[in-house]
Amino acid sequence: MSTVTELISTLRQQEIKLWLDGDKLRYRAAKNTLSPELLAQLKIRKVEIIDFLKSIGAGTSSPMPPLQPVDRTGHLPLSFGQQRLWFLYQFEPHSSANNVPVVVRFTGDLNVPALEQSLQHVLSRHEVLRTTFPVVDGQPIQSIDPDVTLTLPIFDLQHLPATQREAEALRLATAEAHQPFDLTNGPTVRVMLLRLTDREHLLLWNMNSIVCDGASSDLFYQETIASYQAFARGEMPQLPVLPIQYADFAQWQRQWLQGEVLASQVNYWRQKLAGNLPTIKLPFDRSRPVGVPTYRGDRAAKMLPKALETALTKLSQTSGGTLFMTLLTAFNVLLYRYSQQEDLLISFASTGRGQAELEKSIGFFSNTLLLRTNLAGNPTFRELVDRVRQECVGAYRHQDLPFEKLVEELRPEQRQDRSPLFQVKFALNPPWSNGRGMAAVKLPDLTITSLFGYIYHGQTKYDLILVMREQDEGLGMVFDYNADMFDAGTIDRLLGHFQTLLEGIVANPDRPIAELPIFDPTETPLVAWDGTATIDRAAEHEFIAPRNQLELELTKIWQQVLGIESIGIRDNFFELGGHSLIAVRLFAEIEQIWHRNLPLATLFQAQTIEKLADVLSRKDDNQNWSSLVPIQPHGSKPPLFCIHPIGGNVLEYYPLAQYLGDDQPIYGLQSQGLDGRQPPLNQVEEMASLYIKEMLAIQPNEPYLLLGYSFGGTIAWEITQQLQSQGKKVAFLGLVDLISPTLQKVRPSFAKSIQIHFYNLLHLQVKDRQKYIRDRLDYRFKNPNYRELLIESLSKITTPSPQILHLIDTNFQANRDYQAQSYVGDVSLFRCQVQTLDYSLSKDLGWGDLVNGQLDIYDVPSIHYEVLREPNIRVVAEKIKLCLGKI
């Protein structure tokens, strides 16, 4: 260590507490945290450390007041961090962005009463977990309930088939993670227990950040498990006495952080963040949405090998830093290689627990610090670690300024959701309990394991967040990202690039950062982004105005149907939020103005105004019709053939192609008659025969992969039958929310209808249940059939043309006439969990009687019409990936 400040910074990163007791130096460290090397440094530099700590205290005329209990009779203020979260809640009361959900698995003999007693005990210990935030005289206050009774709700899933229990547990846990909290009335902590078997349980607790941070979540876990062990033995838990509660800290913070202390902290950050703050040029797939931000987030994870974690830890020790600093430096390098920017600004978290009294307290202590790194001069990685370490030391010395106060004092000109302060964030979960705050616990008859990253609340305020965590099996790496701007494939590549970079760093840390590897040698320059082969996405999204009357007219139509004012002729229809229903309206407008009946599949080849104008400018209407549509024709894998639903077009499959990746070719099969020049086929057998000819033209050899949504599944079933009769192998048959032809002809009793509606209501969020009941009563009153429902939904967008109505009627009649035969083979059924038709009662939708093989059922949290749209398509795509990966 070159300076005492660097040594203290290292100790803080290891969660080793230092403080002065008079003229004596005291420290506190978790077991196995303080290495012999650090202990030796503490002894050698004891005098320096004492002088340094004294100098901090003497640097102002406002000494730090003692942290002690305050009177509870008056109004208790919120901490600065709580106050900001409370204000955000006023604007976004239905947001789940500040939820902190955790899932813990119990394997073995679980004593449920002891577990419930343990949770109650932890709530009784920590006032903040019993706190709500009402408004008094126009200001929020902390209102502490002296006596909260906790009841642990149990959801028993043993009635489900064993293969479906984990999926249902994940769905229920995810639904809970997405539920907002009522900060005014509470509670701000929710728990639930999911019973998979008598010896397998999942415990979920969910808290709002206003009462909890990451370290507090670790403490909640540790205290709950310690209390459980005691109660299970019939004993009282012996947890350490809490010297102060969170309300005491909030009062202390407001008393101390003012005047000269506040000015000193603010001045440091004002100098550090002077000038234009850098906005990092991230590899966005889409531009930022116009209007109110949705904060729609998604998550991707990867586990780095244990050997790589060990190598990084050793590198950190030899470089004079910590694992946190090494990983943060590596993240800087990754962003530098993507953006080619030498001035980078990254947010990172500190525990905010500078006082020893806070060590075992639960609450929102975590603070956000800022690291502004200069990467100029192409330093070696080891040299850059030294720069980052120095910046971290300065940040830690001024970490007492809450991020909320920093934003308030600096008042950045950019909107909060676009400010560089809220763009990129990094976190390495604090090394509690020998580096793992939720380490697995093995009891004689029970194993307890936390499931890091099991669920996600689905929202993010940042464009990109990298969270890393030391785990038993390796180094966990999770990217939370803005799903409105990034595709999943881009983030997957980012994860791979970061692992490659880390491997290159440990192999040669003295290599200049511009020369370190970031992508796999098998990647082509077109899909990688580095200093020599840069994809200029800014140029790709350059705005180009209409250049002629045709492009101008098309632009007006796009603006109308998409609801976007500024659209360039090279902007992509799908990236602007277009989907199949909008496409129906778009092409109806085109037909009305230019009298050209274009199939919706035209959008696969003409996704921009420029290309669509080129199609309309051609006068050759005599092109040969083909049912085969190349949706994504590239890749080395066997192609996946997707068959049209009842409406005849295959545009619904475009989002699926985006999620299955660049190496999975996808072709659509659309209805004959869509162009209005040929009559539609009126038998499923004829359709299957025609589509097989189209398939064989591009894939003469087996195996074949088939996917059918709704009526498309019926056709896919028949295609499979005909291919088998020709001696050809079908490796995958996927049916997306399709009721078997035999079950469609069966009408249920009133009692059975009530049963399915009760099941649907259980799987809907509370806010959606009233609408569901209203829609079902409306359905009963009108008593429409499936065709009328489809026509009604189309009519809300545009008036369906006579040819489309004829095609739909023909397809309906073909479906009614079709007699499905049993199939010898495996089938994957992707079933919507909410079934709106009264005859969709069976869990297998009637296919169990027709499949002479394995029928795998995958539940999708969706209704029929939205199953292939965002965000449900992500779930479907992942499940299809899983199926195709087994072939």
Side-chain angles (χ1 to χ4, degrees):
M1 302 292 170
S2 57
T3 68
V4 68
T5 55
E6 292 170 357
L7 173 58
I8 291 175
S9 171
T10 299
L11 294 170
R12 281 185 172 179
Q13 279 300 304
Q14 299 292 344
E15 293 297 318
I16 299 168
K17 310 295 181 182
L18 293 176
W19 72 95
L20 291 178
D21 183 4
D23 289 330
K24 295 182 180 180
L25 177 64
R26 304 290 190 188
Y27 71 87
R28 182 177 299 162
K31 184 180 179 182
N32 299 326
T33 300
L34 188 60
S35 67
E37 294 80 10
L38 284 177
L39 181 58
Q41 286 286 324
L42 267 177
K43 292 178 179 179
I44 294 171
R45 309 182 74 167
K46 175 181 175 181
V47 175
E48 288 182 79
I49 295 172
I50 291 174
D51 290 342
F52 176 81
L53 294 176
K54 285 183 176 179
S55 70
I56 294 177
T60 70
S61 59
S62 302
M64 185 177 291
L67 184 51
Q68 57 190 15
V70 299
D71 184 50
R72 293 293 193 270
T73 58
H75 292 161
L76 297 171
L78 280 61
S79 69
F80 290 117
Q82 284 183 322
Q83 182 172 292
R84 178 172 174 270
L85 291 173
W86 184 86
F87 277 119
L88 289 175
Y89 171 76
Q90 305 312 304
F91 291 101
E92 303 163 358
H94 303 299
S95 172
S96 61
N98 293 315
N99 289 7
V100 186
V102 174
V103 176
V104 177
R105 184 183 295 274
F106 294 89
T107 305
D109 296 328
L110 176 64
N111 185 330
V112 175
L115 178 60
E116 184 176 63
Q117 201 174 0
S118 305
L119 294 166
Q120 177 71 64
H121 185 65
V122 177
L123 257 68
S124 300
R125 277 174 51 81
H126 297 276
E127 289 180 348
V128 72
L129 302 180
R130 296 178 273 114
T131 299
T132 53
F133 303 89
V135 176
V136 176
D137 298 329
Q139 292 294 324
I141 63 167
Q142 296 195 57
S143 176
I144 303 170
D145 192 330
D147 185 22
V148 171
T149 300
L150 180 143
T151 301
L152 178 61
I154 302 174
F155 294 82
D156 196 330
L157 306 181
Q158 295 182 98
H159 65 285
L160 296 174
T163 56
Q164 299 176 24
R165 292 172 194 165
E166 286 282 355
E168 178 64 6
L170 176 60
R171 190 199 68 79
L172 289 171
T174 301
E176 165 55 42
H178 285 225
Q179 284 292 321
F181 284 92
D182 181 352
L183 301 188
T184 302
N185 302 302
T188 51
V189 180
R190 294 194 296 260
V191 295
M192 63 190 297
L193 186 68
L194 304 171
R195 177 173 290 149
L196 305 177
T197 69
D198 288 340
R199 294 181 55 80
E200 196 80 17
H201 294 79
L202 295 179
L203 172 67
L204 166 69
W205 67 75
N206 192 10
M207 307 185 201
N208 189 278
S209 290
I210 204 167
V211 300
C212 176
D213 56 18
S216 296
S217 206
D218 287 359
L219 280 167
F220 188 90
Y221 171 86
Q222 294 162 10
E223 291 199 355
T224 299
I225 301 309
S227 300
Y228 172 81
Q229 295 179 66
F231 284 127
R233 296 191 302 266
E235 303 172 358
M236 279 298 297
Q238 300 300 313
L239 298 177
V241 176
L242 297 173
I244 61 106
Q245 294 281 344
Y246 188 82
D248 305 318
F249 163 78
Q251 182 73 32
W252 170 89
Q253 184 190 54
R254 289 186 173 272
Q255 287 179 349
W256 176 64
L257 199 61
Q258 54 184 314
E260 190 175 337
V261 174
L262 177 61
S264 174
Q265 296 269 333
V266 170
N267 287 338
Y268 168 83
W269 289 109
R270 195 183 299 278
Q271 294 173 15
K272 186 60 60 178
L273 302 176
N276 294 325
L277 298 181
T279 299
I280 303 174
K281 299 173 184 175
L282 298 172
F284 296 126
D285 296 291
R286 288 170 294 279
S287 57
R288 193 179 302 276
V290 178
V292 179
T294 66
Y295 303 121
R296 187 170 63 90
D298 207 338
R299 172 173 287 178
K302 191 171 189 178
M303 181 64 67
L304 299 177
K306 188 68 177 178
L308 179 56
E309 179 191 355
T310 302
L312 288 166
T313 302
K314 290 181 179 178
L315 174 61
S316 304
Q317 294 169 349
T318 60
S319 300
T322 63
L323 179 61
F324 170 84
M325 293 177 183
T326 299
L327 293 172
L328 180 55
T329 304
F331 190 36
N332 265 282
V333 175
L334 182 72
L335 296 175
Y336 159 72
R337 295 294 297 276
Y338 267 71
S339 67
Q340 294 300 295
Q341 294 171 256
E342 296 178 341
D343 182 14
L344 297 177
L345 185 66
I346 299 177
S347 303
F348 67 97
S350 73
T351 57
R353 297 166 184 259
Q355 291 73 36
E357 295 89 343
L358 302 177
E359 186 175 335
K360 295 300 181 181
S361 296
I362 288 178
F364 183 58
F365 299 99
S366 177
N367 194 20
T368 298
L369 304 181
L370 295 167
L371 181 83
R372 191 169 188 178
T373 307
N374 178 8
L375 295 92
N378 194 23
T380 67
F381 181 79
R382 206 185 296 270
E383 291 170 342
L384 186 60
V385 169
D386 189 60
R387 295 185 192 180
V388 169
R389 182 176 62 246
Q390 293 179 35
E391 292 295 327
C392 285
V393 168
Y396 289 135
R397 291 188 64 179
H398 299 86
Q399 67 173 317
D400 292 315
L401 180 69
F403 187 62
E404 297 71 29
K405 290 291 290 182
L406 171 63
V407 175
E408 178 184 326
E409 293 292 334
L410 293 180
R411 298 188 182 277
E413 294 181 1
Q414 299 97 328
R415 282 175 47 195
Q416 175 175 308
D417 59 300
R418 298 192 180 185
S419 168
L421 303 182
F422 299 88
Q423 191 188 15
V424 176
K425 191 172 185 178
F426 174 81
L428 175 66
N429 280 36
W432 292 75
S433 181
N434 193 22
R436 292 164 188 87
M438 296 187 184
V441 176
K442 293 186 180 297
L443 305 177
D445 54 355
L446 186 66
T447 298
I448 307 169
T449 312
S450 67
L451 303 181
F452 175 60
Y454 181 81
I455 51 176
Y456 177 50
H457 52 60
Q459 292 191 310
T460 178
K461 295 293 179 66
Y462 287 77
D463 292 343
L464 190 66
I465 302 176
L466 173 59
V467 180
M468 306 194 75
R469 188 182 186 100
E470 298 172 85
Q471 297 180 257
D472 293 326
E473 60 270 36
L475 193 60
M477 179 168 59
V478 175
F479 270 121
D480 287 351
Y481 60 93
N482 188 321
D484 288 326
M485 302 170 71
F486 286 106
D487 287 336
T490 300
I491 301 300
D492 286 339
R493 287 193 294 273
L494 204 62
L495 285 166
H497 292 167
F498 195 46
Q499 178 173 352
T500 302
L501 174 62
L502 292 172
E503 291 168 346
I505 287 169
V506 298
N508 189 357
D510 295 309
R511 192 174 181 179
I513 59 174
E515 300 175 14
L516 288 167
I518 69 166
F519 45 87
D520 189 278
T522 61
E523 285 188 87
T524 66
L526 291 178
V527 297
W529 183 337
D530 70 349
T532 58
T534 299
I535 300 174
D536 188 355
R537 301 204 179 203
E540 285 184 354
H541 291 94
E542 180 183 357
F543 182 86
I544 300 177
R547 300 163 299 187
N548 53 51
Q549 187 63 30
L550 178 56
E551 290 179 347
L552 179 61
E553 291 295 325
L554 276 175
T555 300
K556 291 179 181 178
I557 296 175
W558 280 44
Q559 291 172 335
Q560 178 184 350
V561 300
L562 290 167
I564 299 174
E565 292 184 5
S566 179
I567 300 178
I569 63 170
R570 291 181 183 169
D571 288 343
N572 186 285
F573 174 81
F574 298 101
E575 292 181 1
L576 292 173
H579 51 71
S580 59
L581 293 180
I582 294 178
V584 170
R585 185 179 173 193
L586 169 65
F587 279 65
E589 295 289 333
I590 289 174
E591 182 176 9
Q592 184 175 354
I593 295 174
W594 286 284
H595 306 291
R596 295 285 298 279
N597 181 23
L598 300 176
L600 297 187
T602 304
L603 276 174
F604 290 129
Q605 286 73 46
Q607 299 179 16
T608 66
I609 291 172
E610 181 181 43
K611 292 181 178 179
L612 192 55
D614 181 60
V615 171
L616 286 171
S617 65
R618 299 182 204 145
K619 301 301 181 183
D620 53 334
D621 286 348
N622 296 319
Q623 298 179 5
N624 293 328
W625 168 262
S626 174
S627 288
L628 191 72
V629 177
I631 299 175
Q632 199 292 101
H634 309 293
S636 60
K637 298 178 180 179
L640 175 66
F641 295 96
C642 302
I643 298 91
H644 64 83
I646 206 82
N649 77 80
V650 291
L651 208 65
E652 294 273 8
Y653 292 109
Y654 178 83
L656 175 64
Q658 306 308 297
Y659 285 110
L660 291 187
D662 298 335
D663 198 39
Q664 178 60 68
I666 295 185
Y667 291 86
L669 289 160
Q670 60 185 354
S671 278
Q672 178 176 293
L674 267 179
D675 59 351
R677 301 184 190 122
Q678 303 177 72
L681 300 176
N682 57 17
Q683 290 186 344
V684 170
E685 293 82 355
E686 290 181 351
M687 299 177 196
S689 179
L690 172 63
Y691 300 160
I692 287 175
K693 291 178 182 178
E694 301 269 18
M695 291 165 53
L696 294 179
I698 62 167
Q699 188 195 352
N701 300 317
E702 57 190 2
Y704 294 94
L705 313 177
L706 297 167
L707 183 73
Y709 166 45
S710 194
F711 174 58
T714 300
I715 304 173
W717 185 272
E718 176 60 26
I719 290 175
T720 301
Q721 301 278 17
Q722 293 188 21
L723 285 173
Q724 280 195 340
S725 69
Q726 298 173 21
K728 299 182 184 297
K729 178 184 177 182
V730 175
F732 172 70
L733 173 58
L735 310 178
V736 181
D737 206 48
L738 171 65
I739 300 165
S740 75
T742 53
L743 188 60
Q744 289 181 33
K745 299 175 174 62
V746 177
R747 302 300 298 184
S749 65
F750 179 76
K752 287 291 185 181
S753 296
I754 293 298
Q755 177 186 340
I756 186 70
H757 296 322
F758 180 72
Y759 178 85
N760 287 342
L761 287 170
L762 286 178
H763 287 78
L764 283 171
Q765 295 186 11
V766 175
K767 62 184 179 62
D768 296 326
R769 290 175 181 172
Q770 186 176 1
K771 181 179 183 302
Y772 178 86
I773 294 172
R774 186 171 60 250
D775 289 347
R776 299 313 301 153
L777 290 174
D778 188 52
Y779 176 90
R780 275 291 176 189
F781 180 74
K782 294 180 179 178
N783 196 28
N785 57 35
Y786 184 70
R787 174 194 178 277
E788 290 169 338
L789 289 173
L790 175 62
I791 301 302
E792 182 181 348
S793 66
L794 284 174
S795 300
K796 292 178 180 177
I797 304 163
T798 186
T799 302
S801 65
Q803 105 189 21
I804 291 296
L805 290 175
H806 177 57
L807 175 64
I808 290 174
D809 284 339
T810 302
N811 285 339
F812 267 110
Q813 187 59 50
N815 185 63
R816 283 192 291 267
D817 293 342
Y818 180 64
Q819 299 294 323
Q821 305 299 315
S822 62
Y823 167 58
V824 180
D826 298 337
V827 175
S828 297
L829 175 63
F830 306 93
R831 180 191 192 276
C832 290
Q833 287 181 315
V834 177
Q835 292 288 325
T836 55
L837 296 176
D838 287 343
Y839 49 75
S840 53
L841 290 164
S842 173
K843 180 64 178 176
D844 62 12
L845 300 184
W847 291 106
D849 296 333
L850 294 173
V851 176
N852 291 327
Q854 183 170 333
L855 176 62
D856 294 321
I857 303 174
Y858 301 91
D859 283 335
V860 181
S862 175
I863 60 174
H864 181 79
Y865 292 110
E866 298 178 358
V867 65
L868 294 184
R869 300 182 203 157
E870 295 284 5
N872 308 310
I873 184 58
R874 298 167 184 260
V875 179
V876 177
E878 286 302 317
K879 296 179 186 300
I880 291 176
K881 267 187 180 180
L882 179 66
C883 295
L884 297 181
K886 297 177 182 178
I887 297 174

